[in-house]
Amino acid sequence: MHRPAKSSILALLCSAALTHAAIAQTATSEAALGESPLAELLTKLGPDVTRYTQHVMTLANPFFEGRAPGTRGNDIAQEYIEFWFKQFGLEPAFTDTESTTITAADGSEVITSTPSFRQHFEVGLEMYVDSAAVTLKLGQTDQMVLAGGKDFSVLGMSGSGQLTAPIAFVGYSIVAGPNEYGSYFGENPDLTGKIAMILRFEPMDENGRSKWVREGVEGWSNYAGLAPKISAAVRRGAAGVIVVNPPGAKDDRIGKLATWRETTGQGGSGRVPVVMITEDMADRLVRAGDPNGRSLLDLRRIADEKGEIIDLPNAAVEFSVATRFAPNRTANMGAILRGKGALADEFIVIGSHFDHVGYGWFGSRTGEAGKIHPGADDNASGTSGMLLLAERLSRHYAAAGADANLRSVFFMGYSAEESGLNGSAYYVQNMIAPKEKHTIMLNLDMIGRVRDGNVEANGTGTASGLAEMVTPLFENSGLNIAARPGGTGPSDHASFYAAGIPVMFFFSGLHEEYHAPSDVAALINPVGAVKVVDLVERIALSVADRTEPLTFTSTDGGGVAMGGQRRVRVRFGIAPGDYSGSRPGVLVGQVFPDTSAAEGGLQAGDLMTKWNDAPLTSVDDWMPQLEKAEPGDEVVITYIRDDKEQTATVKLKASRRTPGG
């Protein structure tokens, strides 16, 4: 996307909120737009596209901190959704769980409750560091008080404790690795009463690269995981643990302290203090403590060749660490558009999750922990669509006659979806009405990146007659709909499907920015997203006054949406250009630089037809092949370009950095 001139505020708006496709709708050049009032542009785009864009830009603003549960940004997102629910005149769906007890006039106690748009729930445990101090005792008299955040950090698998103890260097603390490597194979692996000093990663060569990964693969093997290292030392009696980066390692984490946030959830003992100190402080500790005066690098080289416990009797460390764990509290958001007549006690659920992965301490596809992941497509786009539908359907119901028969519409925003569909799972266990009263759940997740009109619609087989009802609506949507019967998949509709409720799931496809800091509002296609909203609105209205019930039907999977969330260990490097299956094969829509596909010479517009000897007729055919692939595998790709069949041999790269603590 080209950069707008700094002098053009309107052009900046276009760059920040609209795609080329959306701007093209105005049939006006950027220069002309730059000289026009803002209102003129918004008028040309239309009120729905304008409102949708406003929602996305707000929810994906960095001020919302990526909307992870436990952040102020997640709370603000709840407030934002509630504000609009109230604007549309919707009813709170829940009762505040924090009820108040009052004393009545007769002296009896009465528990009162307040209608609420929030359904509070707790998800997981968050570790908090209340206090921490570390002092190095170097020799008989010298000592150094370390500065928290500069010289040391408390890791997320730490427990509380206060102690002063001698140091034992245990190298990589790997119990059993390749080539009969083991850190505890020696005569005395007992660490009782000692503080274990552990190196991150795994044995490396003189170039600082792992000895245990295949040639051409970057990063580390599964043996490098930090939690098993710490557990191994604690099981052998360690009273505390010091983690340190091995000097000379080829890893961008060298020179940086890990934090408790980025290591929370990695497991470990949780029984003893666990801190990380800088390479410089660790080197001073080793030189002072080792009777032979060796350096940290010297001990690393020993550990690269063999596992060995090396006591450092001339030094000690004093720990004082206080940690605690508390539940992470968040809330689903729910509002009801009350129906009319005989169908009013039945519900159409229109839902979207509003949370994302926050600062990337969990769930970051690119491993960029500490950076805000705005989640514009995932899932500010779906939440904006849900809010737009609430506004539209509120107007429609208000205009309906008094004698109309309309099901109620239950608008929901789910939290904690990214950590395992927690919000929707909590709801289906705590529904506001029996499941039989939930006619269908319509889920919008990642609808903001419509390309060439391609959209997936999953769940058409989850109710008898549903496919027949929606097919004409698909055909008149102006979109290329890839309809799939299955009701499973890694989004909130799966919770409803598992409860026996018909579902449909709308999704515009994966992309390079998925779960990355680059998933920003600038890349959203609001015109395409509003077309998806148009379609969902027509489906909702078709169900709203339908006299026949939608009877749940189990499916056998019928294709899994968002296939990129499966356990794929390689990154091929393309975005498919067509999910509709209208032409057998996998159409290459975009090739990303420095990937296997790019190095193999694939180009946008190529049609992949074979993966080795396996025919490819659709994206769904391709996903199992990716699941089976390993980094370093060589694959022969058969593809069609300019009506000629060609082949390319590519070496597959890892999907992201392999584990390394």
Side-chain angles (χ1 to χ4, degrees), residues 75-95:
D75 294 340
I76 297 170
Q78 296 174 32
E79 294 172 17
Y80 183 81
I81 294 169
E82 179 176 353
F83 171 85
W84 286 108
F85 282 167
K86 289 179 177 178
Q87 290 294 305
F88 306 145
L90 304 179
E91 301 176 15
F94 307 111
T95 299

Side-chain angles (χ1 to χ4, degrees), residues 10 145 159 163 216 280 355 363 367 488 520 530 544 583:
L10 197 53
V145 178
L163 73 152
D280 177 58
D355 68 298
T488 60
V520 297
V530 169
R583 185 182 179 190

Side-chain angles (χ1 to χ4, degrees), residues 8-20:
S8 172
I9 297 176
L10 197 53
L12 179 61
L13 172 67
C14 293
S15 176
L18 307 176
T19 64
H20 289 299

